[in-house]
C-alpha cells in the first residue's frame, strides 16, 4: 500500500514537471522574435524582406498578449505599444506623414535587430555599389533621397529646376510635338553626376522606404506624393487591360499602337503611367512603373480611404475625398473609367498669401484690389482652367474678410482647409456625401448664422442656381470658383443652370438674375510654361433704366468692364470702377479702410476715376 502511494506520488510529480516544462517552452517560444520563412538563397532581397515585414507585423498586431503570462505592467506596456503601432499602420495608408515616419522607424528595428540586415548584406536588396545593376527606379530613389537631405519637401522641385527638366522637349516615343517628360536617360545622366558613397544608415533609409511603399505606401509615387508639388496621378496613359496581352491584340490594335511609338521600346503599358503636376503643367515620369496593373489597382483602392468615404465599386465607380495631410484625391475604376486611375492634388497652405501668389510688376495694385473686394463685401467669382490656382487664391483672399464675419463653406471634398489657416475664426465647412447632396448642404447653411458663403467650386446646376439665390438674400456676400473662360461664358453658364434647374423659364429673366448677383470676376491663367497670373479683374455693371448706364456689347443687359489687366508681363490699371460700386464698397468698410480705399482708387486710376 505504501509502495503504491509512493509510485502515484512520483508519477504525479513527473507529470507536473512535464506540464511545467511544456508551459515554459511555450512561453519562451512566444517571447522569441517572430521570424517569417525567408526565401531560400535570397533572405535580404526586397521581396523577401517585404514578406518578412508583412508576416511579422501581422503577428505582432494580432497575437493574444494574454497567452504570454505577462506581469500587469509589462502587459500594459506591450498593449500600448501594439495599439500605437496599429494606429500608425492605419494612419500611414491615409497619407499621415508622422505615421509613416513611425512605421518606417519600426521597420528599421525589425530589419536590423531581428533579421540581421547590415552593411555587408544590404547590397543584396539594392546594388548600391554596382551602378550597372541599378534600375532607373533605384537611381531615382537614391537621387531623391540625396535631394531630400538638402532641400526637404522641395527636393523634387529643386531637382527638376537644377537640370531644367520642367520644359517642353521633343523626345523619342512621344511623337513629333514637344512634351513635358523625364526619361530613363535623364535619370542615368543625373545619377552619374550626383552619385556618392552612401553610409549604411543612408542605404538603410532607402531600402526601408522601398519596402514600406510596397507594403503600406503608395508604390513608386509614395515619396513623390510627399513632396511640395501641385499633384501626382497614375493610370492615365499606356495600353490597358486585355491589350497588355499581345495574343489578345487585333491587327487594328497593333496598328493603332504603332502610331508615334518608339520602335525600340514598343508601347507603354497602363501601369507605366506616373505623372506629376508641377507649376501648372503635367509631366510624365516615363522611367517609373507600378510594375503591374495589380499594384496600380492596390494604390487606387487604398489612397482614398481616409475617414471611410464609402466603398469604390462597379456601381460607385469614382470617389472624391481628402487625405490626412489635406490633399484632394479622386479615384476612378472600370467600368466607369477605362482603367484604374487616381489624381492627387496638393495645396500649399503655408504659401496661401496674396503677396506670395501675386508677383511681378504692378502686383501691388492687384493685391490691394483683392483685399478691398473682400472688405467691400463684393460677390466675387474666381475663374480659370484647372490648375490655374483658383483654390489657392481663394484661400488667401479669405484672410482679408473681416474677422468678425462668420464663414460657411460648401465643397465637394474638403480642400480649402480654412480652419487650419484661420483657426481662431468662426468657420464651418460642409461637403457632399453619399446621402446628403450639395443642395441639401447649402439649404442647411441658411440656419447656421453664416455671414459669408464660400463655395469651393460651382460645378453643378443645382449648386449654381442656389448660389445665385443665396447671394441675393441668404448672406452678406459670396465667393466662389468656376471654370468659365470669359465673363460672358460665366454669365451664360450660370444662366443655363438656372433654366435647367427650373428656377426660371425665361432666358432673359434668368440672365438678369445672374448679372445682378455677380459683382466681380477674377480670371486666372497659366501660360505654356506653367506660369500663373491673374489675366484680368472684371467688374459686372448691370444695365438699369434708373442709372442711365448703357447696354453692353451686342445689346447685352450688362457691361463687363476690365479694371485691371495683365499686359506684356505687368499689371495695368485700365478702366475705373463704377461710381455705384465704389459707393457700395465704401459703405461696407470700416472707416479707416474706407479712407484708404478712396486713396487707393485715386492713386491707381487717377483721372480715370469715374465720379
Amino acid at each position: 500500500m505504501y509502495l503504491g502511494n509512493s509510485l502515484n506520488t512520483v508519477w504525479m510529480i513527473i507529470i507536473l514537471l512535464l506540464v511545467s516544462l511544456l508551459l515554459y517552452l511555450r512561453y519562451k517560444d512566444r517571447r522569441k522574435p517572430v521570424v517569417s520563412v525567408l526565401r531560400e538563397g535570397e533572405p535580404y532581397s526586397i521581396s523577401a524582406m517585404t514578406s518578412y515585414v508583412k508576416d511579422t507585423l501581422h503577428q505582432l498586431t494580432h497575437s493574444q498578449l494574454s497567452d504570454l503570462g505577462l506581469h500587469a505592467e509589462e502587459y500594459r506596456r506591450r498593449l500600448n505599444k501594439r495599439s500605437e503601432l496599429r494606429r500608425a499602420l492605419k494612419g500611414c495608408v491615409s497619407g499621415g506623414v508622422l505615421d509613416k515616419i513611425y512605421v518606417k522607424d519600426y521597420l528599421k528595428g525589425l530589419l536590423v535587430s531581428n533579421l540581421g540586415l547590415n552593411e555587408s548584406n544590404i547590397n543584396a536588396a539594392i546594388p548600391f555599389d554596382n551602378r550597372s545593376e541599378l534600375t532607373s527606379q533605384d537611381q531615382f530613389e537614391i537621387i531623391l533621397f540625396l535631394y531630400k537631405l538638402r532641400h526637404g519637401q522641395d527636393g523634387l522641385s529643386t531637382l527638376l529646376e537644377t537640370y531644367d527638366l520642367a520644359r517642353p522637349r521633343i523626345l523619342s516615343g512621344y511623337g513629333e510635338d514637344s512634351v513635358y517628360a523625364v526619361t530613363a536617360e535623364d535619370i542615368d545622366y543625373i545619377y552619374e553626376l550626383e552619385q556618392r558613397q552612401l553610409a549604411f544608415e543612408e542605404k538603410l533609409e532607402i531600402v526601408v522606404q522601398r519596402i514600406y511603399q510596397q507594403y503600406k505606401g503608395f508604390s513608386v509615387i509614395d515619396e513623390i506624393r510627399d513632396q511640395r508639388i501641385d499633384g501626382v496621378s497614375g493610370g492615365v496613359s499606356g495600353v490597358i487591360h486585355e491589350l497588355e496581352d499581345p495574343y489578345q491584340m487585333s491587327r487594328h490594335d497593333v496598328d493603332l499602337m504603332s502610331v508615334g511609338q518608339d520602335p525600340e521600346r514598343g508601347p507603354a503599358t497602363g501601369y507605366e503611367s506616373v505623372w506629376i503636376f508641377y507649376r501648372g503643367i503635367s509631366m510624365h515620369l516615363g522611367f517609373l512603373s507600378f510594375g503591374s496593373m495589380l499594384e496600380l489597382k492596390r494604390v487606387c483602392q487604398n489612397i482614398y480611404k481616409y475617414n471611410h468615404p464609402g466603398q469604390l465599386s462597379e456601381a460607385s465607380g469614382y470617389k472624391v475625398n481628402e487625405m490626412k495631410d489635406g490633399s484632394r484625391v479622386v479615384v476612378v475604376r472600370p467600368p466607369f473609367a477605362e482603367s484604374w486611375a487616381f489624381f492627387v492634388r496638393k495645396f500649399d497652405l503655408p504659401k496661401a498669401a496674396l503677396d506670395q501668389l501675386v508677383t511681378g510688376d504692378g502686383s501691388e495694385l492687384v493685391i490691394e484690389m483683392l483685399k478691398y473686394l473682400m472688405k467691400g463685401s463684393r460677390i466675387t467669382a474666381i475663374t480659370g482652367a484647372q490648375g490655374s490656382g483658383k483654390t489657392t487664391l481663394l484661400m488667401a483672399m479669405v484672410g482679408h474678410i473681416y474677422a468678425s464675419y462668420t464663414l460657411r463653406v460648401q465643397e465637394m471634398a474638403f480642400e480649402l482647409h480654412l480652419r487650419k489657416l484661420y483657426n481662431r475664426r468662426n468657420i464651418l465647412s460642409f461637403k457632399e456625401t453619399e446621402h446628403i447632396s450639395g443642395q441639401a448642404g447649402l439649404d442647411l447653411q441658411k440656419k447656421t448664422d453664416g455671414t459669408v458663403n464660400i463655395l469651393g467650386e460651382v460645378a453643378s446646376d443645382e449648386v449654381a442656381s442656389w448660389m445665385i439665390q443665396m447671394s441675393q438674400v441668404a448672406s452678406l456676400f459670396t465667393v466662389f470658383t468656376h471654370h468659365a473662360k470669359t465673363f460672358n461664358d460665366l454669365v451664360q453658364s450660370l444662366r443655363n443652370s438656372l433654366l435647367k434647374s427650373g428656377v426660371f423659364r425665361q432666358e432673359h429673366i434668368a440672365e438678369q438674375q445672374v448679372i445682378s448677383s455677380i459683382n466681380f470676376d477674377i480670371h486666372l491663367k497659366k501660360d505654356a510654361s506653367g506660369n500663373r497670373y491673374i489675366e484680368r479683374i472684371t467688374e459686372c455693371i448691370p444695365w438699369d433704366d434708373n442709372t442711365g448706364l448703357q447696354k453692353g456689347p451686342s445689346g447685352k443687359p450688362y457691361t463687363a468692364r476690365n479694371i485691371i489687366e495683365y499686359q506684356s508681363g505687368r499689371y495695368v490699371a485700365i478702366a475705373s470702377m463704377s461710381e455705384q460700386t465704389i459707393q457700395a464698397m465704401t459703405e461696407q468698410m470700416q472707416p479707416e479702410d474706407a479712407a484708404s480705399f478712396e486713396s487707393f482708387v485715386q492713386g491707381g486710376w487717377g483721372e480715370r476715376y469715374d465720379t
Side-chain angles (χ1 to χ4, degrees):
M1 185 72 177
Y2 176 79
L3 180 61
N5 290 337
S6 298
L7 288 174
N8 288 337
T9 302
V10 170
W11 279 113
M12 289 180 63
I13 292 173
I14 292 173
I15 292 172
L16 287 173
L17 289 173
L18 287 174
V19 170
S20 300
L21 179 61
L22 287 174
L23 289 174
Y24 175 77
L25 290 175
R26 183 183 180 188
Y27 170 73
K28 291 291 290 182
D29 185 64
R30 289 183 176 273
R31 296 272 296 184
K32 290 179 181 178
V34 185
V35 180
S36 319
V37 177
L38 299 172
R39 293 187 179 182
E40 187 175 352
E42 50 172 325
Y44 299 107
S45 68
I46 292 293
S47 58
M49 288 192 292
T50 302
S51 297
Y52 166 75
V53 163
K54 288 180 180 178
D55 293 343
T56 303
L57 290 183
H58 177 78
Q59 293 182 46
L60 287 172
T61 54
H62 291 80
S63 62
Q64 294 294 326
L65 295 178
S66 57
D67 293 343
L68 300 181
L70 302 172
H71 293 296
E73 184 62 32
E74 177 67 10
Y75 177 83
R76 282 195 296 270
R77 188 184 69 82
R78 290 204 180 192
L79 185 63
N80 291 337
K81 189 173 183 179
R82 188 176 70 174
S83 299
E84 189 175 10
L85 178 60
R86 281 179 171 177
R87 284 194 297 269
L89 288 171
K90 182 179 179 181
C92 67
V93 179
S94 302
V97 177
L98 295 179
D99 292 324
K100 174 180 174 178
I101 293 172
Y102 179 90
V103 172
K104 287 175 63 176
D105 285 341
Y106 203 96
L107 297 188
K108 289 179 190 176
L110 287 179
L111 297 177
V112 174
S113 301
N114 293 21
L115 192 60
L117 186 65
N118 55 43
E119 194 161 3
S120 64
N121 55 37
I122 196 170
N123 286 335
I126 296 176
F128 293 101
D129 299 335
N130 191 342
R131 181 186 170 190
S132 62
E133 294 185 12
L134 290 173
T135 65
S136 295
Q137 180 182 345
D138 294 334
Q139 292 179 339
F140 172 71
E141 290 178 355
I142 293 171
I143 294 168
L144 184 57
F145 171 77
L146 295 175
Y147 269 75
K148 279 183 60 182
L149 287 179
R150 300 194 295 264
H151 306 285
Q153 287 185 309
D154 292 316
L156 181 57
S157 59
T158 304
L159 173 64
L160 296 174
E161 295 301 323
T162 300
Y163 290 94
D164 198 21
L165 297 175
R167 60 182 173 86
R169 298 182 291 168
I170 297 177
L171 298 170
S172 174
Y174 288 90
E176 298 179 356
D177 295 331
S178 297
V179 294
Y180 294 92
V182 182
T183 66
E185 290 77 12
D186 294 325
I187 296 303
D188 188 63
Y189 170 75
I190 296 171
Y191 184 79
E192 183 177 4
L193 298 177
E194 297 283 353
Q195 65 175 320
R196 65 167 173 81
Q197 188 67 36
L198 298 174
F200 171 70
E201 287 298 328
E202 294 174 324
K203 293 178 182 179
L204 178 63
E205 189 70 37
I206 296 169
V207 168
V208 166
Q209 172 58 35
R210 177 72 67 85
I211 293 171
Y212 168 83
Q213 66 193 33
Q214 294 182 181
Y215 168 46
K216 281 292 184 180
F218 305 123
S219 191
V220 291
I221 68 141
D222 191 79
E223 286 286 77
I224 294 172
R225 196 207 70 87
D226 294 341
Q227 289 289 291
R228 191 172 284 119
I229 55 176
D230 296 332
V232 59
S233 59
V236 294
S237 60
V239 182
I240 54 175
H241 298 308
E242 68 275 1
L243 295 185
E244 294 171 10
D245 183 354
Y247 297 103
Q248 299 294 322
M249 291 189 289
S250 66
R251 179 72 252 175
H252 178 64
D253 295 328
V254 174
D255 291 340
L256 280 177
M257 290 189 298
S258 66
V259 178
Q261 296 296 332
D262 187 335
E264 297 182 0
R265 300 178 182 175
T269 62
Y271 51 82
E272 296 175 314
S273 176
V274 177
W275 294 73
I276 62 172
F277 202 47
Y278 176 67
R279 291 196 332 189
I281 57 176
S282 291
M283 180 185 302
H284 185 208
L285 302 187
F287 60 91
L288 278 183
S289 169
F290 288 96
S292 69
M293 289 302 293
L294 285 177
E295 180 70 353
L296 173 60
K297 181 179 177 180
R298 181 187 72 84
V299 174
C300 292
Q301 289 176 320
N302 289 331
I303 202 168
Y304 75 95
K305 290 291 186 66
Y306 180 60
N307 271 347
H308 311 291
Q311 188 64 37
L312 183 68
S313 63
E314 289 190 6
S316 179
Y318 73 92
K319 287 293 177 183
V320 181
N321 197 23
E322 72 276 4
M323 302 186 72
K324 194 170 184 178
D325 66 347
S327 303
R328 182 187 70 198
V329 60
V330 178
V331 180
V332 296
R333 60 154 294 168
F336 171 68
E338 60 181 338
S339 71
W340 291 83
F342 64 88
F343 308 84
V344 177
R345 283 297 309 279
K346 296 173 68 68
F347 303 98
D348 195 355
L349 298 185
K351 291 188 176 180
L354 291 180
D355 57 353
Q356 296 186 22
L357 298 176
V358 184
T359 58
D361 291 343
S363 60
E364 299 84 1
L365 177 71
V366 177
I367 292 172
E368 290 301 307
M369 187 69 231
L370 297 181
K371 291 179 180 179
Y372 287 123
L373 289 180
M374 296 298 95
K375 294 181 184 299
S377 302
R378 294 301 88 192
I379 302 172
T380 305
I382 303 174
T383 58
Q386 182 177 354
S388 57
K390 300 185 298 296
T391 299
T392 309
L393 182 65
L394 176 54
M395 291 179 186
M397 290 174 60
V398 166
H400 300 282
I401 298 173
Y402 286 124
S404 59
Y405 292 168
T406 57
L407 275 60
R408 299 294 174 259
V409 187
Q410 180 73 32
E411 303 178 77
M412 188 173 182
F414 295 133
E415 59 186 32
L416 287 172
H417 305 289
L418 298 180
R419 289 266 285 267
K420 292 181 180 178
L421 286 170
Y422 313 107
N423 51 71
R424 294 190 181 275
R425 299 189 57 171
N426 187 323
I427 302 173
L428 186 62
S429 298
F430 304 88
K431 73 170 183 177
E432 295 181 76
T433 68
E434 189 174 351
H435 304 291
I436 303 175
S437 67
Q439 178 68 60
L442 289 168
D443 288 339
L444 177 66
Q445 286 191 28
K446 291 185 291 186
K447 303 176 178 66
T448 62
D449 304 320
T451 305
V452 181
N453 284 100
I454 309 292
L455 298 181
E457 182 178 351
V458 176
S460 66
D461 293 334
E462 62 173 3
V463 173
S465 63
W466 200 93
M467 186 278 297
I468 296 298
Q469 301 170 61
M470 176 178 64
S471 64
Q472 293 177 333
V473 296
S475 64
L476 181 60
F477 71 103
T478 304
V479 186
F480 65 96
T481 69
H482 197 280
H483 287 290
K485 296 180 179 179
T486 67
F487 186 77
N488 289 337
D489 289 341
L490 175 63
V491 172
Q492 292 176 16
S493 175
L494 295 176
R495 177 201 65 192
N496 293 341
S497 293
L498 290 178
L499 295 172
K500 285 188 284 185
S501 61
V503 177
F504 296 96
R505 295 187 178 181
Q506 296 185 2
E507 182 176 300
H508 72 280
I509 296 179
E511 186 171 76
Q512 187 65 47
Q513 292 297 313
V514 171
I515 62 177
S516 65
S517 301
I518 301 177
N519 303 136
F520 285 88
D521 174 25
I522 303 165
H523 188 71
L524 303 178
K525 194 171 183 179
K526 62 177 181 180
D527 59 23
S529 299
N531 298 316
R532 299 167 177 170
Y533 57 92
I534 296 176
E535 185 183 45
R536 57 176 172 79
I537 298 179
T538 304
E539 179 190 2
C540 177
I541 308 175
W543 178 78
D544 191 329
D545 289 328
N546 296 325
T547 63
L549 295 174
Q550 300 297 312
K551 284 190 177 182
S554 304
K556 293 184 179 297
Y558 64 90
T559 296
R561 177 184 292 181
N562 289 352
I563 60 174
I564 297 176
E565 292 181 0
Y566 188 77
Q567 298 180 353
S568 303
R570 65 187 305 267
Y571 293 102
V572 181
I574 307 299
S576 67
M577 288 173 282
S578 65
E579 181 181 357
Q580 290 79 9
T581 292
I582 293 174
Q583 181 178 351
M585 291 176 66
T586 303
E587 290 173 353
Q588 294 294 333
M589 294 180 189
Q590 295 177 1
E592 59 273 18
D593 291 324
S596 60
F597 175 60
E598 183 177 354
S599 300
F600 165 74
V601 172
Q602 290 285 2
W605 286 268
E607 295 180 354
R608 287 171 291 183
Y609 177 24
D610 183 10
T611 56

